[in-house]
Amino acid sequence: YRKQQKPTSQAVMLCSMDTSGSMDQVRKNLAKRFFILLYLFLQRNYDRIEVVFIRHHAIAAEVDEQEFFYSRETGGTVVSSALNLAEEIIRDRYPTSKWNIYSAQASDGDNWNSDSAICRELLIDRLLPLMRYFAYVEVTPRAHQSLWYAYQDVQAAHPHFAMKEITGAADIYPVFRELFKRQEA
């Protein structure tokens, strides 16, 4: 008998959505449409993938699919709460030696100014080393907030971090295609 390595194709997608008060119903609906498209894409194309749903405002919580897409919340925005929870979930349940880890985040970019720098450091130092890909969509028709600029620093340093803007419903599919297009090995 000879030992043969058996490759695994386990993957997890962490979906984080801002549900704070600054995310009005129009923005929340755009974010939900993006995630519904992502969820349908994952369900259709991958047999073995787990999806983790995280909703956040001032605090983050892991929720089920129903609550992720349909519950209503308001409050301030502390994006780092979602990133910290994502790291905790990865470290507790998804060892990088056995799982391919991906993440998608949607927000209007509104965040405490001091927290945006914390988000940048969390991504660079703790989350991105664990992940294969991280996609950020900013759902906003207005000028970018501090989170966008902090994330530009992350994008410049990490090729497996991507970010795009969604200003209306017509942007959802093209942005989705751009973020999740097939890439050469």
Side-chain angles (χ1 to χ4, degrees):
Y1 293 99
R2 241 176 70 204
K3 285 187 177 181
Q4 283 187 316
Q5 286 187 337
K6 183 179 177 184
T8 62
S9 60
Q10 295 184 120
V12 60
M13 172 63 81
L14 291 99
C15 299
S16 302
M17 182 167 47
D18 180 353
T19 59
S20 66
S22 64
M23 285 280 286
D24 62 21
Q25 202 55 47
V26 172
R27 288 183 187 92
K28 286 179 186 175
N29 286 338
L30 290 172
K32 288 176 187 178
R33 285 178 173 182
F34 173 81
F35 280 117
I36 288 170
L37 184 60
L38 175 59
Y39 186 63
L40 291 172
F41 170 77
L42 295 172
Q43 292 290 334
R44 182 181 180 122
N45 291 295
Y46 298 97
D47 293 330
R48 296 173 36 157
I49 190 160
E50 290 191 21
V51 182
V52 175
F53 297 105
I54 299 171
R55 291 174 62 97
H56 73 89
H57 45 87
I59 57 171
E62 182 178 358
V63 297
D64 62 19
E65 174 188 343
Q66 179 72 22
E67 190 172 346
F68 184 79
F69 288 113
Y70 300 109
S71 73
R72 296 177 186 257
E73 295 175 22
T74 61
T77 312
V78 180
V79 176
S80 64
S81 66
L83 298 176
N84 280 318
L85 180 57
E87 181 191 16
E88 183 181 313
I89 290 168
I90 291 167
R91 295 207 185 272
D92 288 349
R93 301 195 315 241
Y94 301 105
T96 57
S97 61
K98 296 181 181 178
W99 290 87
N100 294 311
I101 302 167
Y102 304 90
S103 186
Q105 177 187 11
S107 172
D108 65 350
D110 192 24
N111 192 26
W112 291 100
N113 283 337
S114 61
D115 190 57
S116 293
I118 293 168
C119 292
R120 179 182 55 241
E121 300 310 314
L122 280 169
L123 281 166
I124 290 171
D125 296 338
R126 294 178 18 207
L127 275 172
L128 288 174
L130 304 174
M131 295 184 172
R132 297 214 179 257
Y133 188 67
F134 190 107
Y136 171 68
V137 293
E138 190 162 290
V139 185
T140 183
R142 63 177 191 255
H144 294 297
Q145 305 289 318
S146 64
L147 190 62
W148 180 267
Y149 300 111
Y151 279 9
Q152 282 182 322
D153 295 342
V154 176
Q155 185 178 31
H158 291 277
H160 64 290
F161 180 91
M163 55 192 276
K164 294 288 181 190
E165 179 181 17
I166 294 175
T167 59
D171 295 337
I172 294 170
Y173 187 68
V175 164
F176 176 82
R177 283 190 55 136
E178 180 66 23
L179 288 172
F180 295 101
K181 68 183 175 192
R182 186 178 301 270
Q183 297 179 354
E184 297 297 320

